[in-house]
Amino acid sequence: MKILSLHQIREADCFTIEHEPIASIDLMERASRAFVNWFCKSFETGDYKVKVFCGLGDNGGDGLAISRMLHPLGYDVEVYVVKYSSKESDNFNININRLKTQIEVNVIDDEQFTLSLNSGDIIIDALLGSGISRSIEGLLKTVVEQINKSEAMIISVDIPSGLLADKPNNQSDTIIKAFHTVSFQVPKLAFMLPQNAEFVGNWHIVDIGLHQTFINKAEVVFFYSTPQEVEKLIKPRAKFSHKGTYGHALLIAGSYGMMGAAILSARACMRSGVGKLTVHSISSGLPILQTVLPEAMYWEVLNDDKFLTTDFKIEDLNSRFQAVGVGPGIGVYEETGISLIKLCRLCKELVIPMVLDADALNIFASQFGDDFTNEIPENSILTPHPKEFRNLVNQSWNNDYEKLELLRKLAIQNKLIVCLKGANTAIALPNGTIHFNSSGNAGMATAGSGDVLTGIITALLAQGYSPDEAAILGVYMHGKAGDIAAEKFGMTSMIASDIIENIRF
Ligand SMILES: NC(=O)C1=CN([C@@H]2O[C@H](COP(=O)(O)OP(=O)(O)OC[C@H]3O[C@@H](n4cnc5c(N)ncnc54)[C@H](OP(=O)(O)O)[C@@H]3O)[C@@H](O)[C@H]2O)[C@@H](O)CC1
Ligand SMILES: [K+]
C-alpha cells in the first residue's frame, strides 16, 4: 500500500472531485460515513457519552458530519466547536448548518473554559487534520492539553490534531494523544515512526473511495506492506519437487558461549522451507548443534574452539550454496573479521546472495570504519537493529525522519537492502523505496529474535526469492510468527524459540 505525501493526498482529493466526479462536500460525507462505520463496528451504544471536538477546517467538518450520523444511531453525542479563529472552511459551514437542526453545538471561545471529561467518555478528535500549518497555540492548545489529561478514550479523525503527516514536529509541540487513529484511505508516514507512537495509538485505515487512477499512478518513496500484498509473494511448492529444488543454504553462526544464536537461526532457516542447510560453526559447538537440530549438516571450524577463523576458499562455496547467512553470535574478534572479509569477497565473485546480521555488522562497524560497504556484495541484505545501524552509518539522528534518510542513503549508495528492525521494520531497497512491515509485536523484543529473522531470510534467498522479496517476505513472516506466538504465550512470556515454532509458510 502506498504512503502518499501530504501533497499527494491533496492532489488525490482534487483528482477525485474532478474525475469521479463528486462534490467536495459529498466526499466529506463519504469519509465521515466510513469513520462512522468503523466506529459502530468497534463500539456498541451504551451508557457513555461521545464528545466530538471540532476545529474550523475540513477536519472539523468531518467531526460535525460524524456527530450528525452517530446521533440517530443511538449514541449520546455532545458536540464542541473550538472557535480559535474567525475563518471556517466552506464544508465546515455546510455541516454546521446540517447539524444544528439535530444537536445543540457547544462553542468554546474562551481559554478559561474547563472541559468536563470522564474516564468512560469517548472523545472524537476532529480539531485539526492534515491541513495544519503551524504549532498549536492559545485556545486550541488549552483544549488539547485538557483532552490529553482526561482519562477518556481518544479517537482521532484522520490524524491526531497537531501531528504533521510527513515531517517532524518540534519537540515542544502540543499534539493529541489518541488511543485510536482512523485515517482516510492511506496511512500517513508519521504513523510508521516510533517518535509518534504516543500520539497515533492504534491506527486504522478506512476506504473513502479516492480515485484509484491517481493512486495507481502516484510515485512514492514509502510503502506499507499489507498482509495481502506480502503473502502473494509466497511461492507454492511444486508437487514433483525435491530438496534440491529449494536450495542449499550456508549459515555461519555461533562462537564460544553463543551457540544459542546458531541454533535459533538454523532452526528458523529449516522451518522456512530451505532444501538443505549447512551450519558452519566452532568445533566445540558441534555436539550441541547436531543434537538439537539433526535436520541440518555441519561444517566445523578447524583448529579453533573459540571463534570463526576459516580461511574460506573458492571451492568451499562454489556450486554448493545458493545463499549465505552470517552473523548471529559469531563474536567481534579481529580474526573473525578477516574471515568475514574473505567470505564477502568470495560471495561477490560467485554472486551468492548474502544476509549479514548482528556481529557481522558489528565487525564491519568496528573494524572497517566508513568504508565498510566496499566489501559487501551488492544486493546483500543487512538486518541491523537501531544501535547496530547507528554504528554502521557512524552518525546519529535528531528524529526518525533523519534516520529514514540515512537508511535510504545507505541502501541507494551501496545497492544494499537494509532492514532496520523495530516496530514496523523499515526495509530500504536499492531503488530508494522504503517498505514498512505490518506484522509483529513488542513481545519480539527478546533475545534471539533477530537470529530467527536471519535464518528465515537466508532460507528464502536459498529458495530463489530475489533479495528484495526475501527481505520483505522474511520480515513479514517473522512478525506473523511472532503474532501467533504472542497469542499463545502472551507478549511478555514469549521467547525466540516460540517464534520459530510458529513460522507458517
Ligand atoms: N484528503 C481527503 O481526501 C479528504 C480529507 N478530508 C478531511 O479534510 C482534512 C484536511 O482539511 P483542511 O485542509 O481543511 O485541514 P484542517 O486541519 O482541518 O484545517 C486546516 C485549517 O486550520 C488552520 N490551521 C492550520 N494549522 C493550525 C493551527 N496550528 N492552529 C490553528 N489553525 C490552524 C488553517 O488555516 P490557516 O490559518 O493556516 O490559513 C486551515 O484553515 C483532512 O484531515 C480530513 O479530515 C475529508 O473531509 C474528505 C476527504
Ligand atoms: K484530528
Side-chain angles (χ1 to χ4, degrees):
M1 181 184 269
K2 289 179 178 175
I3 298 178
L4 302 184
S5 68
L6 183 53
H7 180 67
Q8 287 170 320
I9 292 173
R10 289 200 185 121
E11 283 183 336
D13 195 24
C14 296
F15 188 95
T16 307
I17 289 169
E18 194 184 332
H19 290 86
E20 186 173 324
I22 182 171
S24 173
I25 186 68
D26 294 335
L27 185 56
M28 177 175 280
E29 194 76 359
R30 198 154 79 192
S32 303
R33 177 63 65 194
F35 177 96
V36 167
N37 288 343
W38 176 89
F39 188 92
C40 294
K41 270 192 210 133
S42 309
F43 304 97
E44 289 178 3
T45 53
D47 191 17
Y48 62 90
K49 283 191 191 303
V50 180
K51 298 185 175 168
V52 187
F53 287 85
C54 305
L56 305 173
D58 278 1
N59 197 248
D62 292 335
L64 298 170
I66 288 165
S67 307
R68 166 166 49 78
M69 292 173 192
L70 284 177
H71 175 69
L73 297 173
Y75 292 94
D76 187 356
V77 180
E78 282 181 7
V79 183
Y80 297 84
V81 166
V82 183
K83 191 101 180 80
Y84 53 83
S85 140
S86 54
K87 208 171 68 184
E88 297 114 8
S89 78
D90 293 345
N91 289 334
F92 173 94
N93 280 324
I94 295 172
N95 266 315
I96 200 132
N97 288 329
R98 288 181 180 175
L99 181 70
K100 267 181 183 159
T101 53
Q102 270 194 30
I103 316 175
E104 181 197 351
V105 173
N106 303 287
V107 176
I108 303 173
D109 53 8
D110 173 4
E111 271 187 58
Q112 302 312 312
F113 193 98
T114 306
L115 299 172
S116 149
L117 301 170
N118 303 314
S119 58
D121 293 340
I122 291 184
I123 292 176
I124 295 183
D125 153 41
L127 289 167
L128 288 171
S130 53
I132 68 161
S133 50
R134 56 193 177 277
S135 302
I136 289 181
E137 297 293 345
L139 178 61
L140 260 180
K141 186 176 158 92
T142 314
V143 171
V144 171
E145 282 170 353
Q146 288 192 32
I147 289 176
N148 279 346
K149 253 190 227 148
S150 79
E151 285 173 11
M153 174 181 288
I154 305 171
I155 303 175
S156 286
V157 178
D158 201 25
I159 187 166
S161 297
L163 184 67
L164 295 167
D166 54 13
K167 52 184 186 199
N169 280 84
N170 296 322
Q171 281 208 327
S172 57
D173 280 355
T174 301
I175 303 170
I176 282 283
K177 292 182 178 165
F179 188 80
H180 292 291
T181 296
V182 180
S183 202
F184 296 145
Q185 196 78 40
V186 285
K188 280 62 180 169
L189 180 57
F191 299 175
M192 305 296 142
L193 306 178
Q195 70 182 46
N196 298 325
E198 64 171 318
F199 310 116
V200 178
N202 306 305
W203 59 268
H204 316 266
I205 297 298
V206 290
D207 189 348
I208 64 165
L210 290 184
H211 213 292
Q212 277 305 324
T213 307
F214 180 90
I215 296 177
N216 292 343
K217 277 196 190 150
E219 286 193 11
V220 299
V221 168
F222 300 103
F223 293 81
Y224 178 70
S225 310
T226 63
Q228 296 80 350
E229 289 165 335
V230 184
E231 288 186 11
K232 262 197 252 163
L233 298 175
I234 298 176
K235 296 179 185 172
R237 265 171 121 82
K239 184 172 176 184
F240 293 104
S241 57
H242 53 88
K243 69 181 176 203
T245 317
Y246 301 107
H248 187 179
L250 172 65
L251 194 62
I252 301 169
S255 60
Y256 189 75
M258 296 296 288
M259 290 316 294
I263 292 166
L264 290 167
S265 51
R267 264 191 102 75
C269 189
M270 289 292 331
R271 279 253 188 251
S272 303
V274 71
K276 289 190 283 180
L277 170 65
T278 293
V279 183
H280 183 51
S281 197
I282 56 166
S283 45
S284 60
L286 200 77
I288 312 170
L289 283 164
Q290 290 218 289
T291 313
V292 176
L293 192 63
E295 293 86 351
M297 295 171 285
Y298 298 97
W299 165 19
E300 61 185 308
V301 174
L302 295 175
N303 308 325
D304 206 313
D305 245 9
K306 287 208 178 315
F307 43 81
L308 292 155
T309 54
T310 306
D311 184 12
F312 290 102
K313 302 273 188 322
I314 197 152
E315 55 274 21
D316 292 332
L317 305 179
N318 198 12
S319 309
R320 278 185 77 195
F321 300 111
Q322 282 69 53
V324 172
V326 56
I330 59 173
V332 289
Y333 313 100
E334 221 179 298
E335 297 86 335
T336 306
I338 295 165
S339 288
L340 180 62
I341 290 301
K342 281 190 189 147
L343 177 75
C344 286
R345 287 179 184 157
L346 280 174
C347 286
K348 196 183 237 175
E349 194 182 328
L350 298 168
V351 201
I352 302 175
M354 297 189 84
V355 184
L356 294 118
D357 179 39
D359 283 339
L361 301 176
N362 293 329
I363 286 174
F364 276 113
S366 61
Q367 296 180 27
F368 298 92
D370 291 346
D371 298 330
F372 78 95
T373 49
N374 296 339
E375 300 292 354
I376 300 181
E378 284 180 4
N379 288 312
S380 294
I381 301 173
L382 277 54
T383 53
H385 56 56
K387 192 168 159 229
E388 287 162 350
F389 177 67
R390 190 185 301 263
N391 292 341
L392 268 184
V393 293
N394 197 19
Q395 267 185 63
S396 51
W397 46 85
N398 294 312
N399 57 60
D400 290 336
Y401 290 89
E402 286 184 16
K403 182 176 70 181
L404 284 183
E405 264 323 295
L406 289 172
L407 182 68
R408 243 160 67 78
K409 209 168 107 187
L410 182 62
I412 297 170
Q413 287 181 348
N414 306 291
K415 298 199 171 58
L416 296 172
I417 292 118
V418 192
C419 308
L420 180 57
K421 293 184 286 198
N424 296 129
T425 291
I427 303 166
L429 303 184
N431 68 5
T433 56
I434 290 190
H435 300 251
F436 293 98
N437 182 46
S438 59
S439 60
N441 62 80
M444 300 176 75
T446 180
S449 177
D451 305 329
V452 173
L453 178 64
T454 305
I456 296 174
I457 299 179
T458 306
L460 295 176
L461 284 177
Q463 288 167 80
Y465 287 88
S466 72
D468 293 5
E469 288 173 342
I472 291 172
L473 179 59
V475 167
Y476 169 78
M477 294 305 281
H478 178 244
K480 189 178 170 190
D483 289 339
I484 302 171
E487 265 175 39
K488 290 187 187 166
F489 299 95
M491 278 195 222
T492 305
S493 301
M494 64 183 273
I495 56 174
S497 301
D498 303 326
I499 302 175
I500 300 172
E501 299 318 318
N502 289 291
I503 297 172
R504 293 275 183 283
F505 275 93

